[in-house]
């Protein structure tokens, strides 16, 4: 018989008159219950160390077109650790001769405009035509917790299964402008690995995602119907940099509205100076779901842009400018690293910080002091690690 | 069920510390083997881990283990979190481990981030899973992942 006991609320003197008895509860071992007697300690999963790769491994693997090496190289490039920086620079330097041959297309738009879905449709089409497509998709990192949720691949279900497609989602890591700090280098790695079409998808934010313009040839702005009036398009920002404006979701009930929106954008675009010389920025419609309009956009607009650009030299001119702007963005990054990793700055940083917080030191004087400390820095090992180009 | 998070800041600090040494945040891919597009469990796990400072990769639903392994390699994640609505993990774990081994990438950790019956947990560890999310206790889960990565990476 099951064990039972008298409930504690039974009055003591009436003990015998109460017939009520209570069964004991389940003592652990029951699924989902805290304190279950299942052994939860880690048992056997063997620890396998991550393999180390040298510069040669990276370079050879990428030239061979090995996906796994490419993906690990991108990790290396994106790394913030000082130890990775030097070797990443070497990898890039040795791969530079293999880059520059691809079609670089940047895609931006507001969140939910359908950028990822558009890439899914376009990428599949390109893969069928025999292209090798690399997609760099950036999603925002939290400014509060620094974590991120990378969801672009959920929209690229069939494209991610294609053998000829490589999709790499990356967190923006707090960089403004809609891309990661290292998007350009990532793009170059993909080119070296033999991908002939690179699609760069920015964070979906809207009016200032302009960094991508400085690293792609063709810049596509994806919009949807019902997103503001003419004034939104006239504002300085994305619109004046776009080589084509694409009204997505032109299907079903939305088709008529998309046509109206297209006409509106076309009207604004007549007033804007076009982003590329000798090229007229126009508005087009497409549907990523049905695929309507996408082949036409690629073959008749984007391909025409490239053939025309190669003929009249606008493209090579653009790439030269982009290389220059890359130089200066790298200079800025090196200076940033040199300052923040300088041993003499690090040594006095804490004290200056507390002084400023307590109000003993005005911020302007603190800046002077920090810069003075930085000027005292001796050229040491730290420079070789942080900035291999700065060795005197 | 509302996730239980008591020592959020503590976990965040250790994640930051990890990111400092590794050069990037711990990156986990949540593989959705279920057959529902909006899997509530995955949404919860993803947001909680992102709040702790992880980079969380989301996967389309209804993937096979071959797709998942390929995606994990392309994204170069540290950890794959397996999520199956029905709680049937055994064959998935075995197949996924084999697939990763065929690429010589057994350093990618396998964890179970979905609902699992308590009496199956021991078996999972024996199969080669590193951490299991028990009782929705995400701190323990995150700490387990970080200490696992510690031995694999450094």
């Amino acid at each position: 018989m099951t064990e039972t006991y008298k409930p504690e609320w039974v009055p003591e003197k009436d003990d015998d008159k109460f017939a009520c008895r209570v069964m004991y509860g389940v003592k652990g071992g029951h699924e989902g219950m805290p304190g279950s007697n299942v052994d939860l300690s880690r048992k056997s999963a063997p620890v396998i160390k991550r393999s180390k790769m040298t510069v040669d491994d990276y370079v050879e693997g990428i030239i061979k077109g090995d996906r796994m090496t490419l993906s690990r190289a991108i990790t290396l490039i994106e790394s913030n650790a000082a130890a990775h920086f030097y070797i990443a620079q070497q990898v890039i330097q040795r791969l530079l001769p293999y880059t520059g041959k691809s079609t670089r297309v940047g895609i931006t738009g507001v969140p939910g405009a359908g950028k990822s879905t558009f890439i899914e449709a376009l990428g599949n089409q390109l893969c069928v035509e025999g292209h090798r497509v690399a997609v760099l998709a950036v999603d925002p990192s939290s400014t509060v917790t620094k974590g991120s949720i990378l969801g672009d691949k959920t929209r690229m279900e069939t494209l991610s299964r294609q053998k000829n497609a490589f999709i790499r989602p990356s967190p923006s890591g707090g960089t403004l402008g809609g891309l990661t700090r290292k998007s350009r280098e990532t793009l170059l790695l993909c080119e070296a690995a033999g991908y002939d079409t690179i699609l760069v998808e920015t964070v979906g934010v809207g009016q200032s995602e302009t960094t991508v313009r400085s690293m792609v040839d063709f810049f596509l702005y994806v919009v949807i119907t019902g997103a503001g009036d003419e004034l939104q398009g006239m504002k300085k920002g994305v619109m004046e940099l776009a080589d084509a404006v694409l009204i997505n979701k032109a299907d079903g009930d939305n088709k008529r509205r998309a046509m109206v929106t297209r006409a509106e954008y076309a009207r604004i675009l007549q007033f804007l100076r076009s982003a590329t010389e000798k090229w007229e920025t126009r508005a087009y419609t497409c549907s990523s779901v049905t695929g309507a309009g996408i082949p036409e956009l690629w073959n008749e607009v984007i391909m025409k842009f490239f053939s025309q650009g190669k003929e009249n030299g606008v493209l090579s001119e653009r790439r030269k400018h982009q290389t220059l702007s890359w130089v200066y963005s790298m200079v800025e990054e090196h200076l940033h690293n040199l300052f923040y990793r300088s041993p003499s700055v690090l040594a006095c940083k804490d004290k200056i910080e507390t002084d400023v917080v307590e109000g003993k030191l005005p911020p302007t004087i603190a800046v002077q002091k920090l810069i003075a400390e930085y000027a005292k820095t001796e050229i040491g090992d730290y420079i070789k690690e942080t900035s291999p180009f700065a060795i005197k | 069920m509302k996730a239980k998070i008591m020592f959020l800041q503590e976990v965040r600090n250790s994640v930051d510390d990890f990111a400092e040494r590794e050069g990037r945040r711990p990156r986990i891919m949540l593989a959705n083997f279920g057959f529902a597009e909006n899997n509530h469990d995955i949404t919860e796990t993803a947001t909680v881990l992102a709040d702790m400072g992880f980079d969380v990769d989301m996967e389309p639903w209804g993937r096979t283990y071959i797709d998942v392994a390929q995606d994990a390699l392309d994204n170069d994640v540290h950890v794959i979190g397996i999520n199956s609505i029905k709680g049937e993990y055994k064959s998935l774990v075995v197949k996924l481990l084999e697939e990763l081994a065929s690429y010589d990438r057994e350093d990618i950790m396998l964890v179970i981030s979905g609902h699992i019956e308590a009496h199956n947990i021991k078996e999972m560890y024996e199969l080669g899973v590193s951490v299991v999310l028990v009782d929705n206790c995400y701190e323990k889960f995150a700490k387990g992942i970080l200490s696992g990565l510690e031995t694999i990476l450094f």
Side-chain angles (χ1 to χ4, degrees):
Chain A
M1 212 185 100
T2 330
E3 287 280 301
T4 58
Y5 66 98
K6 248 180 207 172
E8 52 274 20
W9 43 262
V10 172
E12 260 174 50
K13 56 178 176 166
D14 299 336
D15 213 357
D16 306 333
K17 296 176 191 164
F18 275 81
C20 177
R21 295 189 73 80
V22 179
M23 261 212 275
Y24 284 104
V26 183
K27 274 189 193 133
H30 190 66
E31 64 190 36
M33 281 189 59
S36 55
N37 56 9
V38 179
D39 183 9
L40 297 181
S41 61
R42 190 178 158 174
K43 274 277 148 49
S44 60
V47 175
I48 290 157
K49 287 266 181 192
R50 181 175 53 180
S51 58
K52 292 253 185 316
M53 291 175 82
T54 63
V55 176
D56 288 335
D57 292 341
Y58 283 117
V59 173
E60 279 161 25
I62 287 177
I63 291 171
K64 257 195 291 168
D66 179 36
R67 277 172 91 130
M68 199 164 73
T69 318
L70 175 62
S71 104
R72 286 193 65 179
I74 294 175
T75 308
L76 174 81
I77 295 285
E78 285 178 351
S79 169
N80 294 320
H84 295 155
F85 187 76
Y86 187 40
I87 154 166
Q89 294 296 333
Q90 283 178 309
V91 171
I92 288 276
Q93 248 168 17
R94 286 186 47 188
L95 287 174
L96 268 183
Y98 299 90
T99 62
K101 288 173 222 118
S102 78
T103 307
R104 304 170 181 168
V105 177
I107 294 161
T108 194
V110 294
K115 297 180 290 298
S116 304
T117 320
F118 171 73
I119 289 176
E120 156 98 353
L122 176 63
N124 274 319
Q125 185 205 320
L126 292 174
C127 283
V128 170
E129 286 171 14
H131 289 283
R132 294 189 71 204
V133 184
V135 179
L136 312 178
V138 184
D139 265 335
S141 291
S142 159
T143 46
V144 185
T145 66
K146 303 189 193 99
S148 65
I149 291 186
L150 309 165
D152 287 318
K153 230 177 203 178
T154 53
R155 317 272 177 245
M156 304 180 195
E157 209 175 312
T158 41
L159 185 60
S160 60
R161 284 203 181 104
Q162 295 275 8
K163 284 268 174 294
N164 284 336
F166 177 83
I167 305 172
R168 174 65 175 225
S170 292
S172 70
T175 310
L176 297 178
L179 291 177
T180 75
R181 206 167 45 83
K182 291 291 182 187
S183 284
R184 186 195 303 270
E185 283 86 343
T186 312
L187 188 149
L188 294 176
L189 287 184
C190 291
E191 282 188 351
Y195 289 92
D196 58 28
T197 309
I198 319 263
L199 306 175
V200 186
E201 181 191 340
T202 70
V203 168
V205 188
Q207 299 188 326
S208 64
E209 276 49 59
T210 50
T211 321
V212 66
R213 174 78 272 188
S214 67
M215 57 187 85
V216 296
D217 305 317
F218 189 90
F219 189 38
L220 182 68
Y221 183 35
V222 181
V223 296
I224 38 176
T225 57
D229 59 0
E230 274 184 26
L231 179 66
Q232 298 301 335
M234 279 157 59
K235 285 185 192 166
K236 297 296 172 192
V238 173
M239 273 288 276
E240 59 178 353
L241 298 174
D243 290 316
V245 177
L246 181 66
I247 293 99
N248 199 4
K249 307 191 187 181
D251 42 37
D253 293 347
N254 207 28
K255 188 158 186 184
R256 210 174 56 82
R257 262 179 293 164
M259 301 306 278
V260 175
T261 312
R262 194 185 80 91
E264 275 173 17
Y265 273 102
R267 205 162 51 234
I268 304 159
L269 285 168
Q270 332 177 50
F271 297 111
L272 293 181
R273 202 171 158 273
S274 61
T276 309
E277 258 180 85
K278 297 168 194 158
W279 174 259
E280 201 181 329
T281 304
R282 290 205 183 131
Y284 306 88
T285 58
C286 86
S287 162
S288 304
V289 179
T290 64
I294 292 178
E296 290 85 348
L297 179 79
W298 184 261
N299 296 326
E300 288 161 29
V301 182
I302 300 184
M303 280 301 111
K304 191 179 153 211
F305 175 89
F306 276 94
S307 59
Q308 187 190 316
K310 270 173 199 153
E311 234 166 68
N312 59 24
V314 171
L315 272 187
S316 61
E317 201 59 30
R318 166 166 284 164
R319 289 222 173 157
K320 278 181 202 158
H321 280 294
Q322 292 179 342
T323 317
L324 264 187
S325 82
W326 184 30
V327 169
Y328 285 103
S329 69
M330 274 197 292
V331 167
E332 275 163 32
E333 200 195 328
H334 283 286
L335 285 177
H336 180 273
N337 286 347
L338 281 176
F339 178 80
Y340 282 100
R341 291 186 186 147
S342 149
S344 44
V345 171
L346 286 179
C348 68
K349 201 168 135 216
D350 283 348
K351 196 184 168 296
I352 295 185
E353 270 175 19
T354 34
D355 283 356
V356 171
V357 172
E358 284 168 8
K360 284 184 202 159
L361 197 66
T364 42
I365 307 288
V367 175
Q368 267 180 24
K369 275 195 165 183
L370 281 170
I371 297 287
E373 281 299 327
Y374 172 63
K376 281 187 224 157
T377 311
E378 306 237 331
I379 309 281
D381 281 346
Y382 103 96
I383 282 203
K384 196 183 160 200
E385 264 179 22
T386 35
S387 180
F389 307 127
I391 304 168
K392 284 181 188 167
Chain B
M1 198 199 296
K2 192 97 177 139
K4 306 167 198 161
I5 305 164
M6 286 149 81
F7 305 103
L8 184 57
Q9 199 52 50
E10 200 187 314
V11 177
R12 273 185 197 163
N13 290 345
S14 35
V15 169
D16 282 347
D17 175 54
F18 173 88
E20 186 73 29
R21 285 176 295 147
E22 166 72 354
R24 60 169 176 156
R25 320 222 117 236
R27 188 160 177 174
I28 182 171
M29 188 176 88
L30 298 180
N32 187 355
F33 288 106
F35 287 92
E37 195 158 3
N38 292 314
N39 184 339
H40 186 77
D41 284 354
I42 288 202
T43 315
E44 182 191 289
T45 313
T47 38
V48 172
L49 287 176
D51 277 349
M52 288 174 168
F54 282 67
D55 283 333
V56 184
D57 279 279
M58 303 294 279
E59 275 278 284
W61 56 286
R63 299 292 261 185
T64 67
Y65 63 91
I66 299 174
D67 300 332
V68 167
Q70 185 64 57
D71 284 343
L73 295 182
D74 282 357
N75 297 7
D76 199 16
V77 297
H78 293 122
V79 187
I80 301 178
I82 307 178
N83 206 311
S84 150
I85 285 186
K86 284 182 166 178
E88 291 160 352
Y89 293 103
K90 195 176 165 183
S91 54
L92 290 176
V93 167
V94 173
K95 287 287 181 191
L96 203 47
L97 281 172
E98 279 174 11
E99 191 71 14
L100 288 174
S102 75
Y103 289 105
D104 210 10
R105 284 302 299 273
E106 286 150 303
D107 56 296
I108 296 178
M109 252 166 81
L110 226 56
V111 302
I112 296 211
S113 54
H115 175 71
I116 185 165
E117 316 265 316
H119 57 82
N120 286 335
I121 293 177
K122 199 176 168 196
E123 193 187 3
M124 289 298 122
Y125 286 124
E126 279 161 8
L127 285 176
V129 168
S130 305
V131 190
V132 176
L133 175 63
V134 184
D135 293 340
N136 264 17
C137 182
Y138 283 99
E139 298 123 45
K140 266 192 196 163
F141 184 60
K143 277 181 191 165
I145 290 176
L146 287 176
S147 69
L149 288 177
E150 197 73 26
T151 49
I152 292 172
L153 302 181
F154 303 114

